[in-house]
Amino acid sequence: MVDTAFSAYLIYLATRFNLPQKTLGKMIYNIGLEAVVGSVPLVGDIFDAFYKSNMRNLALLEEHLEAVEPELAAVAEPVSQSIKL
């Protein structure tokens, strides 16, 4: 529950970047899926260890920001390239 609350706060912060509804929907789906499957004992812990919804959401946010501000791509390596989704 604490992780889901933290993730929901991150979604709130992401809304300040004027993300498209489709991207916000994907982010909410990632958190919802991790919350539902993560609540199952043992299986949920294993799922949480590999799914990493916050990393996926960060990759979505970076993708949006690079589309809006292309010069950001030159500053840092995107998360989506450093993790396998």
Side-chain angles (χ1 to χ4, degrees):
M1 293 302 285
V2 173
D3 184 46
T4 303
F6 177 71
S7 297
Y9 179 68
L10 292 177
I11 294 290
Y12 165 74
L13 293 176
T15 60
R16 301 173 79 186
F17 288 102
N18 296 321
L19 292 167
Q21 292 295 321
K22 184 177 179 181
T23 304
L24 278 174
K26 288 179 185 178
M27 294 174 83
I28 292 168
Y29 173 79
N30 287 336
I31 292 171
L33 181 64
E34 187 174 43
V36 170
V37 177
S39 66
V40 177
L42 189 59
V43 174
D45 294 330
I46 295 168
F47 180 79
D48 284 344
F50 291 101
Y51 190 69
K52 303 187 185 309
S53 67
N54 289 331
M55 294 300 291
R56 291 171 184 265
N57 289 344
L58 179 59
L60 288 170
L61 179 59
E62 283 184 348
E63 186 178 304
H64 169 73
L65 291 176
E66 286 178 3
V68 174
E69 302 281 338
E71 63 272 4
L72 290 176
V75 177
E77 177 185 348
V79 172
S80 60
Q81 290 179 0
S82 63
I83 63 170
K84 294 183 181 182
L85 297 178

